[in-house]
Amino acid sequence: MMTKEQNFSTEVEALLTEQLKNWPLASKNYEALKTVRSKTFRIDNRFDCRVQFNPGRIQSSAAKVDSRSLRERKCFLCSENLPQEQRGLAFASEYSVLVNPFPIFPRHLTIANLSHVDQRIADRYEDMLDIAKALPDFVVFYNGPKCGASAPDHMHFQAGNKGFLPLERDVRSLARRVIVSKEGISCYSLEEYARTCIVIEASDKASSAQLFRRIYQAVEVENEEEPMLNLLVWYEASKWMTCIFLRKLHRPKCFFAEGEENMLISPASVDMGGVFILPQEKDFNKITAYDVKAILEEVSLSREALLEVFRKIDL
Ligand SMILES: [Zn+2]
């Protein structure tokens, strides 16, 4: 007999197959993804970052997310605005699993809330854990409203197939600073990673949620709806892995620069997870390992601020 998770995975695979067959936009873009160029940089001889030249992502990277631009566009995640070929698969009572028609991953999903409600994680982290468990072949991710979400006015997660992001290996190989380590839950930060990443490993959903809440509340917030963050969660060996990237900046200086200095990069979960998405060829050709490291450092919460978070959590 198949478990509930196996059943759901089978339905998701069937959805991907159906959409790639019957939806020309998706079919064209997934086909194009097979030939995108990428290159890998080894940084500080500790971890890899890949850069992907992906012209299909231009709208997302350059998305205008100010409230006026949002009001004036039709929300692309509201069911009444979905292209007629797009199908959704219900998850729990609140979400619809959709195939993302502008893929970064060979299998790339968007998990949209059924209602047009703001992108906020506080009350939805447990939903994210449920989704990760139901999709054991995927990494599920959340982009904060000012950390890469191109629909900050419509609650959604995304998911991409496992085996794609360097982060999955980095959590195993990098040095750690341990914050908590006890039966059923551990928490640590990844050291010398050019970005601020806190990892929670938990076999118990409630404990993970409680710790996530403490971290969330310990982050200093100024004029923001929530701490600036990207979140990646996956389920393996009966445990949830949660990687919290705390951010200082939405977009790096080079995003706004003119002329030679300009690079169109708007870091979100995938970039923080080790795959930089560059929709413009000029940027792909000129970017260096030095730039990648500098951008990660620039948009991440500082080391001092992270230590302050740990002091406040006080476990
Ligand atoms: Zn909407």
Side-chain angles (χ1 to χ4, degrees), residues 75 77-78 116 154:
C75 173
L77 293 179
C78 276
H116 186 82
H154 192 128

Side-chain angles (χ1 to χ4, degrees), residues 82-117:
L82 296 181
Q84 96 189 47
E85 300 96 332
Q86 194 165 28
R87 300 276 169 270
L89 184 63
F91 179 80
S93 55
E94 267 190 287
Y95 296 93
S96 181
V97 178
L98 304 162
V99 171
N100 189 320
F102 301 103
I104 293 170
F105 298 80
R107 289 180 291 151
H108 192 155
L109 308 170
T110 302
I111 299 108
N113 199 278
L114 296 176
S115 311
H116 186 82
V117 291

Side-chain angles (χ1 to χ4, degrees), residues 67-82:
S67 48
R68 178 163 175 200
S69 304
L70 291 174
R71 267 200 314 277
E72 289 173 355
R73 65 111 164 84
K74 268 191 179 176
C75 173
F76 59 88
L77 293 179
C78 276
S79 60
E80 64 269 27
N81 302 328
L82 296 181

Side-chain angles (χ1 to χ4, degrees), residues 103-161:
I104 293 170
F105 298 80
R107 289 180 291 151
H108 192 155
L109 308 170
T110 302
I111 299 108
N113 199 278
L114 296 176
S115 311
H116 186 82
V117 291
D118 283 341
Q119 180 85 333
R120 296 288 181 271
I121 193 61
D123 297 325
R124 307 220 177 250
Y125 172 69
E126 290 184 65
D127 296 353
M128 197 176 178
L129 298 184
D130 290 339
I131 294 166
K133 191 175 180 186
L135 294 172
D137 301 326
F138 287 81
V139 173
V140 180
F141 52 100
Y142 169 85
N143 293 323
K146 286 187 188 157
C147 293
S150 41
D153 52 344
H154 192 128
M155 178 64 213
H156 66 287
F157 300 103
Q158 294 180 67
N161 55 275

